[in-house]
Amino acid sequence: MELVNSTELNSMVIDVKNDHGELSYRNTEVELAIEIGANTNKISDIEALMETLAENNIYPIARVVVFKDNKLGTKRPDLAVKNLDGSVWVESGSKVAWVDPHSREVWQYVADVAKEAARLGFREIQLDYVRFPDRVGDRVKFDHLESFDLIPEGEEYTRSKVIAEFIKFIRKELEPYNVELSADIFGLIGTVQGDMGIGQHLETLLGSEALDLICPMVYPSHYHHNNYGLYPSNNARPYETVKYALIDYQTRIAAMNSNVMIRPWLQGFSQGQPPYGPHEVREQIRAAQELGIFEYLIWNPSNQYHHIADAFR
């Protein structure tokens, strides 16, 4: 709170539903969340928190993780992404289950969580992991694919169309609540022409006309030097990496005459050399602002920001 009140920062992204499928507060009214034991006590008094944010004029963004959901996937295996033998598939590293992006019951569950966040006072719903799991190829199966009927007859099925239809559904569910809707997407989605196998294809996402903002994760450490020809590494060139990545987004968005706003996620953590401090963070902000992008988000996985606080003063 002190950091936000003493700098140019004015918003907080707060987990409502995290990437283990846990809700951050106990007193949810979402029946399925209660049924699977997803509600936790990480935020002991969510109403008091929202009042504090309002008193300090802080814009509250509710992070709602969508299809990466260990709670729902393990408690309701009928809704989970499956191995070919029918068992619940989990990520090799995190051992976290995912749920089937084709399932209407999953869609409604996410919508119910998002609507509850809106009723609590969040002014924006930010969808994260709004995609298929990556690097799975044909090693998994989706039990609800056969019942998925939203692709018009005669049109080719693609994962990106599934994601776009889901976002349109969430927008419709949120219409009575007057909240902004944003989505976190892979940084490279603006540069590559396909959907990277995860269902995030830029033109298809924007064609849904359901998003107010896209939040590309343009962390320099997540790019290889051959993406933009930067040496010795993209991580060592934060200004150039963010600038080139965002130019790609702007070019394609302009070609579509889309009104969607770009609010990038920038890197507030160290991964490789050099370690990231105020200078590296400010260079990323400078790159965005030079392109006319004046909203941004900073991520640090340990939720520690004091080491880069001077970037905002």
Side-chain angles (χ1 to χ4, degrees):
M1 203 72 69
E2 179 184 348
L3 180 63
V4 172
N5 285 336
S6 62
T7 67
E8 69 193 61
L9 302 176
N10 59 12
S11 308
M12 290 188 187
V13 180
I14 296 174
D15 271 341
V16 167
K17 177 174 175 284
N18 69 14
D19 35 345
H20 288 274
E22 299 167 332
L23 271 63
S24 295
Y25 51 91
R26 182 70 66 187
N27 56 329
T28 181
E29 295 180 0
V30 178
E31 291 183 4
L32 184 52
I34 298 169
E35 177 187 321
I36 64 176
N39 48 332
T40 71
N41 204 38
K42 294 178 181 180
I43 299 174
S44 58
D45 191 335
I46 185 66
E47 289 84 4
L49 171 63
M50 300 307 296
E51 289 176 10
T52 300
L53 295 177
E55 289 167 1
N56 285 269
N57 199 30
I58 293 171
Y59 180 75
I61 302 171
R63 176 178 182 253
V64 177
V65 172
V66 179
F67 298 121
K68 186 176 183 179
D69 191 326
N70 196 60
K71 276 287 184 182
L72 187 57
T74 55
K75 296 291 186 178
R76 286 286 306 277
D78 58 308
L79 300 177
V81 175
K82 302 288 180 55
N83 292 304
L84 298 182
D85 64 3
S87 60
V88 174
W89 175 85
V90 296
E91 283 187 327
S92 58
S94 67
K95 304 299 182 185
V96 170
W98 286 59
V99 290
D100 190 340
H102 305 92
S103 167
R104 301 297 184 83
E105 188 171 355
V106 170
W107 288 20
Q108 190 61 59
Y109 176 50
V110 175
D112 290 344
V113 171
K115 288 187 287 187
E116 182 166 82
R119 289 193 295 270
L120 285 167
F122 284 97
R123 293 170 58 190
E124 179 176 322
I125 305 301
Q126 183 185 87
L127 304 174
D128 199 4
Y129 288 90
V130 56
R131 60 177 178 84
F132 285 72
D134 59 320
R135 297 188 292 272
V136 294
D138 56 1
R139 293 180 288 108
V140 299
K141 64 177 184 175
F142 304 97
D143 289 346
H144 297 264
L145 173 58
E146 292 183 0
S147 61
F148 188 80
D149 58 0
L150 284 179
I151 306 300
E153 187 174 351
E155 283 195 20
E156 179 188 3
Y157 163 89
T158 65
R159 290 181 175 183
S160 57
K161 289 178 182 177
V162 175
I163 298 303
E165 290 296 332
F166 164 76
I167 292 173
K168 286 165 64 175
F169 172 81
I170 296 296
R171 164 59 77 193
K172 187 172 180 61
E173 289 281 305
L174 288 172
E175 275 180 1
Y177 297 93
N178 192 31
V179 292
E180 300 287 292
L181 182 61
S182 61
D184 297 336
I185 59 178
F186 275 12
L188 270 173
I189 293 301
T191 299
V192 302
Q193 294 305 307
D195 73 346
M196 298 182 68
I198 61 173
Q200 290 184 350
H201 175 251
L202 187 60
E203 283 75 12
T204 307
L205 287 174
L206 301 187
S208 70
E209 298 183 342
L211 291 171
D212 297 296
L213 305 103
I214 56 169
C215 303
M217 299 175 283
V218 290
Y219 311 128
S221 65
H222 286 35
Y223 290 81
H224 297 292
H225 65 77
N226 59 347
N227 290 135
Y228 302 118
L230 297 175
Y231 292 89
S233 69
N234 288 77
N235 188 66
R237 305 280 291 276
Y239 168 82
E240 293 89 344
T241 302
V242 170
K243 188 168 187 177
Y244 294 158
L246 293 180
I247 286 173
D248 285 344
Y249 276 97
Q250 288 184 323
T251 301
R252 291 170 68 176
I253 290 171
M256 290 191 68
N257 293 316
S258 172
N259 293 321
V260 73
M261 179 182 290
I262 306 172
R263 184 203 289 145
W265 276 104
L266 305 179
Q267 180 171 325
F269 57 91
S270 296
Q271 185 170 315
Q273 293 297 320
Y276 269 43
H279 171 72
E280 288 74 20
V281 172
R282 198 70 221 175
E283 284 292 274
Q284 296 173 80
I285 296 171
R286 181 168 72 92
Q289 291 181 341
E290 287 181 0
L291 295 172
I293 297 171
F294 295 98
E295 294 193 13
Y296 59 86
L297 301 161
I298 308 290
W299 181 53
N300 181 292
S302 62
N303 206 33
Q304 299 296 319
Y305 297 95
H306 291 287
H307 71 293
I308 57 173
D310 287 343
F312 314 115
R313 293 194 171 99

